[in-house]
Amino acid sequence: MQEGKKKVTLRDIAEKTGLSVNTVSRVLNKKPYYTKEVEEKVNAACKELGYIVDMNASGLRSGSTRTVAILYDDLVNPFYSYTTDIISKRLEERGYNCIMFSNNDRSPYVDYELMRNVMARKPDAILSYLEPQSDLLDFIKNTGIPFVIFGRDGTPYGMTGINADEVAAGRLAGQYLLDCGYKTIAYIGSWHDVKVCLDRQRGLQEALEQNGLHLKEEHVFYIRERELAEVVKKVVEDKADGILCFNDVIAFVMIEALLEHGLRAGEDYGIVGFDNVQQMMRMPRFLTTIDAGCRDLAETGAEVMLDLLTGAEEERPPFAATHKPILVKGNSTKNIR
Amino acid sequence: MQEGKKKVTLRDIAEKTGLSVNTVSRVLNKKPYYTKEVEEKVNAACKELGYIVDMNASGLRSGSTRTVAILYDDLVNPFYSYTTDIISKRLEERGYNCIMFSNNDRSPYVDYELMRNVMARKPDAILSYLEPQSDLLDFIKNTGIPFVIFGRDGTPYGMTGINADEVAAGRLAGQYLLDCGYKTIAYIGSWHDVKVCLDRQRGLQEALEQNGLHLKEEHVFYIRERELAEVVKKVVEDKADGILCFNDVIAFVMIEALLEHGLRAGEDYGIVGFDNVQQMMRMPRFLTTIDAGCRDLAETGAEVMLDLLTGAEEERPPFAATHKPILVKGNSTKNIR
DNA sequence: CTGAAAGCGCTTACAG
DNA sequence: CTGAAAGCGCTTACAG
């Protein structure tokens, strides 16, 4: 079983066993109609010669590459790496491999260049952490390849999405900041036009409005579009004391940046993130954050992908209906009433 | 450029342009010998029909899939995700995609099952975060596919390795713990037979010996092979006050576990990790750690892979010769003299 | 400079 | 239950 010198093909197995290539293929793919005897002969020959199927050839002929494309922005943020780890392992157990595609920091969207690269690999399905560029929706649908948006609402794109209730999550965080007694609330988003970023912002707004307040436009920042220094300057000047960040990593960046101004999270101001990456990394808890249940989200994602890949028609309630976001208290906020 | 209804093949382009499939292929692959006029005709037709190459077919015929296999253990640890992010983006820029393969928690090694799955995809090269099982070395070499071990020394396997000087890193950490004044030193590794884990341990031992001390066998633990509770119990009982962990994530786990016993890192004991994941995540610095320069390590890894893929014969000094590990001080240690 | 033919290693109809 | 033939979409020799 440890050859590898020359590549062993089905033909070699056929010659060795005296069967046809066809029959060998049928046995290996467990198609019906072959005798026990033939099966054993084939398996023995495969083992002896160290046969390994060529998935490229197989995929070319059969139309199924047993490959899933994962479209991502940034593996560093644990939300991505943690969920990708779970999803890719689940898929691998079932014989699918993941091919990674990034937007290489071009934009927060799936663009045509990205889709070209993806389509060249003929994946059986696509799981995207990126929202699709709106002028690409038809193209994506026309491919006929299942496209699942992970961690974001698919509804506005008419696509399957695996996502938490982001508005509720934003509301929960906002209400908590107000309950703590923070007065001037700011939101630090990522991009001004990414839906999940706006949903959390909307939740925050709703919480403020329920308390007779408003989220001021000048206190909403999109950090991927603006200089960090500029954002910090404004936050400091306006003495924003309750800061909600689109995710934990942005929260960390803000904490560091504000520290340079002598401002300490949990002392001089309260800060809340999203994702609970501390738990993923098994870190001591410091940051107050919203946990949407990323492990379950990833498991659901893997199941939905497998349903699509195998053609199973499972009835699943939307993730957001069964999983409510929870607030995880850390030391980056405190009751200042 | 937004078709996609039926797949467009080279034949369609050939028919459209009145050229042969052959010529079209030659133009697209920029092989010599075609006129400007032909080139423009082909490109126009490709754009109009929305042609996208089928890399599976291309790879089957040409023998090069423009694919790199990444063999990993655990994407959650930022050492993996951070470096994978950099490497995969660099490779993608040059037209290679990464396919992910995990050991699915079977063992810390590349085993035959894993290699079978890898070989079925016919990658042009393999980058492995996992050390190969020793009885698989011949198999791997016989594949003829470049195999690079990332983050670990390849020498004992006779393979290319991209790695820091782990012994020096362990020594640095050990000397620092002693300089702080910690008396009872413990090492929390991952697996007892993973070389990089043992190298850091050896560095620690050397530091102790240079100070006339010894690392006691009973104070060396491999956390993937033992109950956490058991490890913690022993550490608490023996009042180990200087703890070196194989990586930051293990350090975090220990900090949490010891906290349950009322012991606080930086107060009741000192703890040091490896990798500086805090910086990768842009987190406020808390843990004292050893930074081997992971960004440079990843960039070097990408360059080495590209050299192997393109057949370039670059002369590169070993990473460890030019990059010395540095100690990053946090609050998890302090001078207790 | 361009084309007709062969073939990469499989799987899919179709015959027997 | 098994086999001979065709073909997936490309690229590679080889002819012209």
Side-chain angles (χ1 to χ4, degrees):
Chain A
M1 98 188 197
Q2 297 208 1
E3 309 298 278
K5 307 214 164 212
K6 282 202 171 188
K7 76 181 125 193
V8 179
T9 71
L10 274 194
R11 223 167 101 180
D12 298 314
I13 306 300
E15 273 169 19
K16 178 107 190 164
T17 55
L19 296 160
S20 72
V21 171
N22 189 331
T23 302
V24 174
S25 168
R26 225 170 320 104
V27 171
L28 294 180
N29 290 304
K30 302 205 196 328
K31 302 265 170 185
Y33 312 131
Y34 51 82
T35 57
K36 190 104 198 138
E37 190 196 6
V38 164
E39 181 180 357
E40 282 163 8
K41 237 199 294 191
V42 168
N43 287 333
C46 286
K47 195 156 187 178
E48 189 185 337
L49 300 183
Y51 175 74
I52 297 174
V53 69
D54 180 334
M55 294 296 284
N56 287 314
S58 157
L60 176 60
R61 185 63 182 89
S62 74
S64 163
T65 55
R66 295 190 77 83
T67 268
V68 172
I70 296 198
L71 281 43
Y72 73 99
D73 175 42
D74 162 24
L75 270 185
V76 181
N77 185 326
F79 172 75
Y80 299 120
S81 55
Y82 181 83
T83 51
T84 297
D85 189 73
I86 292 171
I87 294 169
S88 64
K89 283 177 178 164
R90 288 281 171 283
L91 294 176
E92 206 174 330
E93 284 164 5
R94 299 284 292 274
Y96 293 89
N97 285 107
C98 295
I99 311 196
M100 307 301 290
F101 297 86
S102 81
N103 55 3
N104 251 313
D105 302 321
R106 281 190 302 277
S107 83
Y109 295 111
V110 178
D111 59 17
Y112 184 67
E113 189 179 336
L114 180 50
M115 276 308 291
R116 255 184 85 90
N117 293 334
V118 170
M119 291 312 295
R121 299 290 179 177
K122 298 269 179 289
D124 290 349
I126 300 170
L127 183 142
S128 180
Y129 285 95
L130 302 164
E131 300 181 22
Q133 213 168 267
S134 57
D135 64 350
L136 229 61
L137 290 172
D138 285 343
F139 175 86
I140 292 173
K141 278 166 196 162
N142 278 333
T143 63
I145 298 175
F147 189 102
V148 171
I149 308 184
F150 187 85
R152 327 213 143 182
D153 185 5
T155 327
Y157 303 107
M159 291 170 165
T160 306
I162 316 289
N163 61 289
D165 186 340
E166 304 296 352
V167 179
R171 216 159 34 217
L172 177 63
Q175 188 59 54
Y176 173 73
L177 282 169
L178 295 175
D179 289 347
C180 283
Y182 296 110
K183 297 279 182 263
T184 307
I185 308 294
Y187 179 71
I188 321 279
S190 52
W191 301 93
H192 81 281
D193 49 4
V194 167
K195 187 168 182 300
V196 59
C197 175
L198 297 178
D199 281 350
R200 291 176 185 172
Q201 177 181 334
R202 184 147 66 85
L204 171 63
Q205 262 159 339
E206 288 181 13
L208 289 175
E209 278 158 21
Q210 276 163 21
N211 290 268
L213 300 168
H214 277 286
L215 180 60
K216 291 194 191 140
E217 206 180 312
E218 64 199 277
H219 291 153
V220 173
F221 307 90
Y222 302 105
I223 207 163
R224 302 285 295 262
E225 303 168 4
R226 245 168 115 160
E227 289 294 326
L228 176 62
E230 203 188 314
V231 175
V232 170
K233 183 162 171 257
K234 182 76 178 156
V235 165
V236 171
E237 274 176 7
D238 288 12
K239 296 193 173 38
D241 61 351
I243 302 175
L244 182 59
C245 295
F246 169 63
N247 64 34
D248 287 349
V249 174
I250 292 177
F252 293 139
V253 169
M254 286 303 295
I255 290 171
E256 276 288 313
L258 286 168
L259 204 55
E260 286 174 19
H261 288 255
L263 297 171
R264 284 166 313 161
E267 294 298 324
D268 305 302
Y269 67 101
I271 189 163
V272 175
F274 284 89
D275 295 344
N276 201 5
V277 305
Q278 298 163 125
Q279 181 173 288
M280 297 174 187
M281 309 279 84
R282 316 209 41 186
M283 309 188 108
R285 185 193 303 165
F286 164 71
L287 181 67
T288 298
T289 189
I290 304 290
D291 191 330
C294 288
R295 166 161 284 282
D296 288 346
L297 193 71
E299 298 284 4
T300 303
E303 283 164 19
V304 168
M305 292 305 284
L306 285 166
D307 286 351
L308 289 167
L309 290 164
T310 59
E313 295 275 351
E314 288 293 321
E315 201 57 59
R316 295 184 191 286
F319 180 86
T322 52
H323 291 74
K324 294 295 166 208
I326 61 170
L327 184 102
V328 177
K329 284 183 202 170
N331 303 322
S332 70
T333 50
K334 69 173 178 184
N335 195 325
I336 60 168
R337 284 176 184 282
Chain B
M1 99 186 199
Q2 296 207 5
E3 309 298 277
K5 307 216 164 210
K6 281 201 172 189
K7 74 182 125 193
V8 179
T9 70
L10 274 194
R11 224 168 100 180
D12 298 314
I13 307 300
E15 275 169 18
K16 178 105 188 164
T17 54
L19 295 160
S20 71
V21 172
N22 189 330
T23 301
V24 175
S25 168
R26 222 167 327 102
V27 172
L28 294 180
N29 291 303
K30 303 204 196 328
K31 302 265 172 186
Y33 311 130
Y34 49 82
T35 57
K36 192 104 195 139
E37 189 195 7
V38 164
E39 180 180 0
E40 281 163 8
K41 238 199 295 191
V42 168
N43 287 334
C46 286
K47 196 157 187 178
E48 189 184 338
L49 299 182
Y51 174 75
I52 298 174
V53 68
D54 181 335
M55 294 298 283
N56 288 313
S58 157
L60 175 60
R61 185 62 181 91
S62 73
S64 164
T65 55
R66 296 189 76 83
T67 268
V68 172
I70 296 199
L71 281 42
Y72 73 99
D73 175 41
D74 163 23
L75 270 185
V76 181
N77 186 324
F79 172 74
Y80 298 120
S81 55
Y82 181 83
T83 50
T84 297
D85 190 73
I86 293 171
I87 293 169
S88 63
K89 282 176 178 164
R90 288 282 170 283
L91 294 176
E92 208 174 330
E93 285 165 5
R94 300 283 293 274
Y96 294 89
N97 285 107
C98 295
I99 311 194
M100 307 301 291
F101 298 86
S102 81
N103 55 4
N104 250 312
D105 302 323
R106 280 191 303 275
S107 82
Y109 296 110
V110 178
D111 60 16
Y112 184 67
E113 190 179 338
L114 180 50
M115 276 307 292
R116 254 184 87 88
N117 293 334
V118 170
M119 292 310 296
R121 298 292 179 176
K122 299 269 180 292
D124 289 349
I126 301 170
L127 181 143
S128 179
Y129 285 95
L130 302 163
E131 300 181 24
Q133 213 168 267
S134 57
D135 64 351
L136 230 61
L137 289 172
D138 284 343
F139 175 86
I140 292 173
K141 278 167 198 163
N142 278 333
T143 64
I145 298 175
F147 190 101
V148 171
I149 307 185
F150 187 86
R152 323 206 149 189
D153 184 6
T155 326
Y157 303 107
M159 291 169 165
T160 307
I162 316 290
N163 61 288
D165 186 340
E166 304 296 352
V167 178
R171 216 158 34 216
L172 177 63
Q175 188 59 52
Y176 174 73
L177 282 169
L178 295 175
D179 288 346
C180 283
Y182 296 110
K183 297 280 181 265
T184 307
I185 308 294
Y187 179 70
I188 321 281
S190 53
W191 302 92
H192 80 282
D193 49 4
V194 167
K195 185 166 184 301
V196 59
C197 174
L198 297 178
D199 281 349
R200 292 176 186 174
Q201 177 181 334
R202 185 148 65 83
L204 172 62
Q205 263 159 337
E206 289 180 12
L208 290 176
E209 278 158 21
Q210 277 164 19
N211 290 266
L213 300 167
H214 277 286
L215 179 61
K216 290 193 191 142
E217 205 180 312
E218 64 200 280
H219 291 154
V220 173
F221 308 91
Y222 302 104
I223 208 165
R224 302 286 295 260
E225 302 168 4
R226 245 167 118 159
E227 289 293 326
L228 175 62
E230 204 187 313
V231 175
V232 170
K233 185 162 169 259
K234 182 75 177 158
V235 166
V236 172
E237 274 176 8
D238 288 11
K239 296 192 171 40
D241 61 351
I243 302 176
L244 182 60
C245 295
F246 169 62
N247 64 35
D248 288 349
V249 174
I250 292 177
F252 293 140
V253 169
M254 287 304 295
I255 289 170
E256 276 291 309
L258 287 168
L259 204 55
E260 286 174 18
H261 287 256
L263 297 172
R264 284 166 312 162
E267 293 298 322
D268 305 303
Y269 68 99
I271 190 164
V272 175
F274 284 89
D275 294 345
N276 201 4
V277 305
Q278 298 163 126
Q279 181 174 288
M280 297 174 188
M281 311 278 84
R282 317 208 39 185
M283 309 188 106
R285 185 193 303 166
F286 165 70
L287 181 67
T288 297
T289 190
I290 303 291
D291 191 330
C294 288
R295 164 161 287 280
D296 288 346
L297 194 70
E299 298 284 4
T300 303
E303 281 163 20
V304 168
M305 291 305 285
L306 285 166
D307 286 350
L308 289 167
L309 289 163
T310 58
E313 297 273 352
E314 287 294 318
E315 202 57 59
R316 293 184 192 287
F319 180 86
T322 49
H323 291 74
K324 294 296 165 207
I326 60 169
L327 184 102
V328 178
K329 283 183 202 172
N331 303 321
S332 69
T333 50
K334 69 172 178 185
N335 196 327
I336 59 167
R337 283 174 186 283

